[in-house]
Amino acid sequence: MTTVGSRYQQLVRPDRVHGSIYTDPAIFAEEMERIFYSTWVFVGHESEVPEPNDYVVKSIGPQSVIMTRAKDGSIHLLQNRCAHRGNLVCEAPKGNTLAFRCQYHGWTYANNGDLLGFPYKQGYEGVLDKASIKLGRVARVESYQGFVFGSFAADGPSLKDHLGAATECFDRLVRISPAGEVALTAGWLKHRVKANWKMLLENETDGYHPQFVHSSIFSVATSGIGNLYSENSTALCRDLGNGHTENDLRPEFRRIAEPMGWFGTTAEKVPNYVAAMRDSYGKAAEEIMIDGSPHVMIFPNLFIAEIQLFQIQPLAVDQTVQHVTCMQFKDAADLNRRVLQQTIGSVGPAGFLLADDSEMYERNQRGVAARTPEWVLIARGLKREHVDPEGFTVSNNTDETTLRAIWRHYMTLMDR
């Protein structure tokens, strides 16, 4: 009898992945248990619940969770399900409340999940212990640089251990703000696609596709961003460990050596921001404004794309929602206006970039359902990978080093 372990070893090879891994509902169900319900998953940002009693409805995979800030300032992740008969206790996407009341039978819970009470108490005398009834809680909640992660697993590596080398990317991100803080306060867009979640996971760290998929926007934009994804670019792709991957564009930005070039603009067009950065960071400001913000995929569901943030939510084997927002950098009003404008133009309802990618996700999903060829190739750059001075495996930005890194980590979780 074939074991689960040997099954995945047959489906994932060092240079290829079997098409059924994107289409098999049984595999999807196992992924939810072994990845989304067992490891650290990005949920939201502390700035989304800035005041006591604020809440926002978020997700961990298909599961609806409520991120709350209790009166004492602590952040909780609660399952959106009444402990009585399973009804949702929160329908509004966000708000401020001391308690959540189930509309079915009136059971009421504090915003830390404790049961406050229920109608007609006499019927429960000697039947249940009120103190033992609570909303389901995500077992562990931790944050780094304001980014909140949750894990249903009561035990396991800490968030910092999970992030590993990727913590530096978060540190680099917040340095874009003169105050060293980012916020997710611009609102979220939701893009639903008929594709497996791993299609999105791979695409976000794939430096091979932009010149082809996004050629229309690169042909009319003058930012030069498209040139970062070419065979002649000095940009790199990097395996950060634990499934986290980076498209490191800094070598190109440093070669050009233009402050704010990473943003496709010049220092003269955001003078207040540049002045605030120099006041905050002194000489280091020039390096920060040349290097720019990271382009990093945090396994399994968080993509930071310089100024935008994407949260991948699997719903079914062929249904995924991508939640998208833009970063807002504290004390950077003139930069933030441009960030919002660029986000609308690239990932908004009529935007260029995400529309291109979404079409590719769905074409991929339809394509891998074909009987032959059975395999998806991920071999590009396999023979030109090398280890950088920091000990990370890197290669040309168009290579599939990052995809192979994702699948190696995937196997450590699934082949157990």
Side-chain angles (χ1 to χ4, degrees):
M1 181 177 179
T2 302
T3 66
V4 170
S6 65
R7 176 191 186 192
Y8 284 101
Q9 290 167 10
Q10 292 296 316
L11 296 176
V12 179
R13 307 286 177 83
D15 63 347
R16 64 193 63 203
V17 178
H18 196 270
S20 63
I21 210 157
Y22 304 94
T23 61
D24 187 337
I27 291 176
F28 176 83
E30 289 175 352
E31 290 169 347
M32 295 302 101
E33 292 297 329
R34 300 183 186 198
I35 298 176
F36 279 83
Y37 304 155
S38 299
T39 64
W40 288 105
V41 177
F42 170 71
V43 179
H45 194 271
E46 292 176 2
S47 62
E48 297 181 86
V49 285
E51 301 297 330
N53 305 319
D54 281 352
Y55 72 88
V56 61
V57 175
K58 309 295 281 187
S59 64
I60 295 180
Q63 299 284 317
S64 176
V65 297
I66 312 167
M67 184 168 77
T68 70
R69 188 181 290 274
K71 288 191 295 183
D72 63 2
S74 60
I75 290 180
H76 301 265
L77 297 178
L78 310 174
Q79 293 230 247
N80 194 1
R81 177 195 185 279
C82 181
H84 174 218
R85 298 274 290 279
N87 207 275
L88 295 178
V89 298
C90 185
E91 284 285 354
K94 62 181 180 179
N96 182 282
T97 186
L98 287 166
F100 298 100
R101 184 176 184 271
C102 176
Q103 298 301 307
Y104 196 11
H105 296 98
W107 285 40
T108 305
Y109 303 86
N111 58 18
N112 68 355
D114 291 344
L115 177 63
L116 294 176
F118 41 76
Y120 311 147
K121 299 176 183 178
Q122 296 86 348
Y124 288 109
E125 290 178 358
V127 176
L128 60 79
D129 174 21
K130 175 185 167 185
S132 68
I133 306 295
K134 304 175 185 292
L135 291 180
R137 287 187 175 98
V138 176
R140 291 187 293 159
V141 182
E142 293 186 29
S143 64
Y144 187 77
Q145 294 289 18
F147 292 82
V148 179
F149 292 76
S151 174
F152 281 114
D155 300 304
S158 68
L159 176 61
K160 273 201 169 184
D161 287 341
H162 168 72
L163 294 177
T167 56
E168 185 273 338
C169 296
F170 289 93
D171 298 339
R172 202 188 324 156
L173 171 65
V174 299
R175 289 198 312 164
I176 299 299
S177 158
E181 294 181 31
V182 301
L184 304 186
T185 53
W188 291 83
L189 297 169
K190 297 180 183 180
H191 294 264
R192 184 167 182 151
V193 291
K194 297 176 181 178
N196 185 267
W197 69 278
K198 299 185 295 298
M199 296 290 189
L200 285 66
L201 177 70
E202 292 177 316
N203 179 82
E204 308 302 28
T205 194
D206 171 47
Y208 193 20
H209 80 276
Q211 284 283 1
F212 313 104
V213 175
H214 304 305
S215 59
S216 58
I217 191 170
F218 292 156
S219 67
V220 297
T222 58
S223 67
I225 299 299
N227 296 329
L228 301 170
Y229 300 94
S230 71
E231 185 78 336
N232 298 321
S233 173
T234 59
L236 301 168
C237 62
R238 178 176 288 110
D239 174 5
L240 294 173
N242 292 343
H244 314 315
T245 55
E246 178 185 16
N247 296 93
D248 189 354
L249 311 178
R250 289 174 294 177
E252 276 291 292
F253 295 146
R254 290 170 180 174
R255 182 182 65 81
I256 298 168
E258 290 287 344
M260 301 309 297
W262 69 271
F263 189 57
T265 189
T266 62
E268 291 73 24
K269 292 185 178 180
V270 282
N272 295 338
Y273 169 72
V274 171
M277 289 292 286
R278 288 171 176 162
D279 285 344
S280 294
Y281 297 107
K283 292 181 179 180
E286 305 308 308
E287 178 184 339
I288 296 171
M289 290 189 291
I290 288 172
D291 282 356
S293 188
H295 189 104
V296 61
M297 183 71 226
I298 304 298
F299 188 92
N301 74 323
L302 170 61
F303 175 43
I304 298 171
E306 290 87 29
I307 61 172
Q308 294 149 6
L309 183 145
F310 299 72
Q311 181 180 12
I312 298 171
Q313 181 190 12
L315 294 181
V317 70
D318 58 354
Q319 296 285 335
T320 306
V321 174
Q322 195 155 216
H323 303 254
V324 188
T325 190
C326 67
M327 244 79 70
Q328 295 288 276
F329 300 96
K330 188 174 181 179
D331 294 346
D334 50 348
L335 177 65
N336 286 338
R337 283 192 296 271
R338 288 176 170 266
V339 166
L340 184 57
Q341 290 166 356
Q342 285 196 20
T343 298
I344 292 169
S346 59
V347 300
F352 287 91
L353 288 173
L354 196 52
D356 292 340
D357 285 329
S358 296
E359 179 68 15
M360 292 302 107
Y361 305 150
E362 296 195 350
R363 289 189 188 188
N364 279 358
Q365 190 69 26
R366 294 196 298 270
V368 294
R371 291 179 60 85
T372 56
E374 297 181 49
W375 297 90
V376 174
L377 301 181
I378 54 170
R380 181 174 173 79
L382 187 59
K383 298 299 183 181
R384 61 179 178 184
E385 291 180 349
H386 60 281
V387 177
D388 70 8
E390 286 73 42
F392 299 110
T393 300
V394 299
S395 193
N396 181 276
N397 199 28
T398 65
D399 288 343
E400 291 165 340
T401 297
T402 48
L403 274 65
R404 292 188 290 274
I406 287 170
W407 284 107
R408 281 195 297 272
H409 184 65
Y410 176 93
M411 286 295 288
T412 68
L413 300 172
M414 298 297 292
D415 189 23
R416 294 185 296 186

